[in-house]
Amino acid sequence: ASRPDSVAILYARLREHLGPEVGLMLRCCGAPAEWAGREDLLEASLVTLREGVQEMGNPTVVVACPTCADILGRRAPDVTSVSLYEVLAAGAAASSAVPATSRATLAVHDPCTARHHARTRAAVRDLLAGAGWPVEELPLSGERTECCGFGGLMLYADRELADEVVARRAACSSQPFVTYCAMCRDRYA
């Protein structure tokens, strides 16, 4: 949602490399409802998502959002899903649009919902390494990663605290940050 141009480019590449049967589903997994304690809204969202997947013949859902991957894994294990970054790291549509001469070291921020998804975290690093990007690991990364200040709707529950959290996290490195969560990306931007 933050970068619709990038979504269109990536979708075209996935269709090119995986085949024209690749579809695009634009909808929320219901995570904000879970964070707000609204089980009714979460379940309604998951029912609609399941119905959409069933209408498409129960394909494997490729999710770009680590929070969606987490929600589907925990709350809808009947929906087969895989991380976009794992698909890309396996060779489908992986490419770099940045010339090799402009590659600075990147500080990798793992989203808090990727804490328990080691394969996704590894795939992101494999993609960066494969494209020639040097990586700096932040303190509290991987399984111990720190939130950007959005998780659990912190940004809306206590904006001052959320701003303090993202500022503290951003101060961990002077390098440009890379993350694979739209909410983290928006917070750092």
Side-chain angles (χ1 to χ4, degrees):
S2 295
R3 305 288 304 269
D5 305 359
S6 297
V7 172
I9 291 166
L10 181 59
Y11 176 55
R13 286 185 183 162
L14 288 173
R15 287 177 51 90
E16 181 181 308
H17 291 281
L18 297 177
E21 65 277 359
V22 172
L24 184 62
M25 178 185 244
L26 302 173
R27 70 163 294 98
C28 180
C29 67
E34 182 181 61
W35 293 338
R38 293 293 309 268
E39 282 292 314
D40 57 329
L41 294 177
L42 172 62
E43 285 306 316
S45 184
L46 289 173
V47 164
T48 303
L49 188 142
R50 279 185 177 103
E51 288 171 352
V53 170
Q54 287 171 354
E55 287 173 16
M56 291 185 280
N58 293 311
T60 297
V61 177
V62 179
V63 293
C65 174
T67 301
C68 291
D70 185 63
I71 290 287
L72 291 177
R74 287 186 301 107
R75 303 299 298 257
D78 53 308
V79 175
T80 304
S81 64
V82 64
S83 162
L84 168 66
Y85 310 99
E86 292 176 56
V87 171
L88 292 175
S95 71
S96 174
V98 180
T101 56
S102 66
R103 296 209 173 117
T105 298
L106 298 174
V108 178
H109 168 77
D110 293 307
C112 57
T113 52
R115 283 183 182 127
H116 306 294
H117 300 275
R119 289 192 322 238
T120 298
R121 295 191 316 266
V124 167
R125 284 154 177 81
D126 289 347
L127 287 166
L128 292 169
W133 290 93
V135 168
E136 174 188 335
E137 293 292 342
L138 294 172
L140 300 176
S141 63
E143 290 179 353
R144 296 181 171 278
T145 192
E146 186 174 9
C147 181
C148 69
F150 188 91
L153 300 176
M154 182 190 315
L155 180 64
Y156 302 106
D158 189 337
R159 187 174 209 37
E160 188 176 310
L161 176 61
D163 289 346
E164 178 184 319
V165 167
V166 76
R168 181 181 63 235
R169 187 67 168 157
C172 289
S173 176
S174 61
Q175 303 298 334
F177 275 48
V178 64
T179 188
Y180 42 104
C181 169
M183 293 166 285
C184 294
R185 181 253 173 222
D186 287 352
R187 291 293 292 151
Y188 288 119

